[in-house]
Amino acid sequence: MIPDLARALAPMTNRIRLMIGRAVIAAVDDATKVQALQIDLLADETLGEVEHFQGYGLTSHPPVGLEALVAFVGGTRSHGVVVAVGDRQYRLRALEQGEVALYDDQGQVVKLGRDGVLIQTDKPVRVEGETVTVIADRVDLGGEGGPAVARVGDPVVGGVIQAGSSKVFAA
């Protein structure tokens, strides 16, 4: 390249080179309308109050130490936006094509899989609502293979179920 041209293009070339970067999350402020992160970038480069854009309807509070992908508007390092946060240690692997999952660092999973929906946790699961309706051909409470359970309207005489449900069972 012609030396004068290379010198003239150097500022623009540097801005383009610095438009996207990797970072490590150093701190999280989750109280703001757009989550603000403190991130560590290149050696001795730390930025604070960097906006973390998250997809509509999904949000997370990423732990310190996770990796982030940062875009710098116009190549200006003072205006960074975190566009993605990743977690190599806890990321679910071996999903089938088209499957979707939510996960955290405690091993909790909500998976929309090819064979159904899985909610996996060793913590309590709470469903809140004015009414909860379960529509299914069969409901097994506590596992498969238990005796039939009486539903509202099933005959019960002296605390003994006379005719249990053909769809609801308890292990």
Side-chain angles (χ1 to χ4, degrees):
M1 185 178 280
I2 303 169
D4 289 340
L5 181 59
R7 194 173 356 183
L9 292 176
M12 183 175 64
T13 303
N14 286 337
R15 287 180 81 170
I16 290 171
R17 195 176 301 131
L18 296 174
M19 285 182 82
I20 297 178
R22 290 177 176 260
V24 175
I25 297 173
V28 179
D29 181 355
D30 201 41
T32 55
K33 283 189 177 183
V34 176
Q35 191 177 70
L37 304 178
Q38 179 179 325
I39 56 174
D40 294 329
L41 292 126
L42 301 171
D44 299 323
E45 184 182 13
T46 298
L47 295 177
E49 298 182 21
V50 178
E51 295 177 318
H52 176 202
F53 278 74
Q54 299 182 30
Y56 172 77
L58 297 172
T59 189
S60 67
H61 186 134
V64 168
L66 294 190
E67 295 175 275
L69 182 64
V70 188
F72 295 95
V73 180
T76 305
R77 298 294 267 199
S78 63
H79 189 175
V81 177
V82 173
V83 294
V85 173
D87 188 339
R88 294 176 192 227
Q89 182 177 357
Y90 298 107
R91 185 186 73 79
L92 297 178
R93 294 166 183 79
L95 293 178
E96 292 185 37
Q97 184 173 335
E99 291 185 328
V100 177
L102 299 172
Y103 65 94
D104 68 5
D105 60 348
Q106 299 178 73
Q108 299 179 109
V109 175
V110 176
K111 177 182 167 187
L112 307 179
R114 289 292 179 242
D115 56 353
V117 177
L118 168 69
I119 299 174
Q120 183 178 1
T121 182
D122 60 356
K123 310 252 186 271
V125 176
R126 194 169 91 201
V127 178
E128 291 186 19
E130 186 175 313
T131 302
V132 175
T133 303
V134 176
I135 300 172
D137 288 335
R138 180 181 170 108
V139 177
D140 289 300
L141 304 172
E144 290 187 41
V149 174
R151 298 176 298 170
V152 173
D154 287 344
V156 177
V157 177
V160 177
I161 300 170
Q162 300 299 306
S165 168
S166 62
K167 293 186 174 192
V168 182
F169 303 87

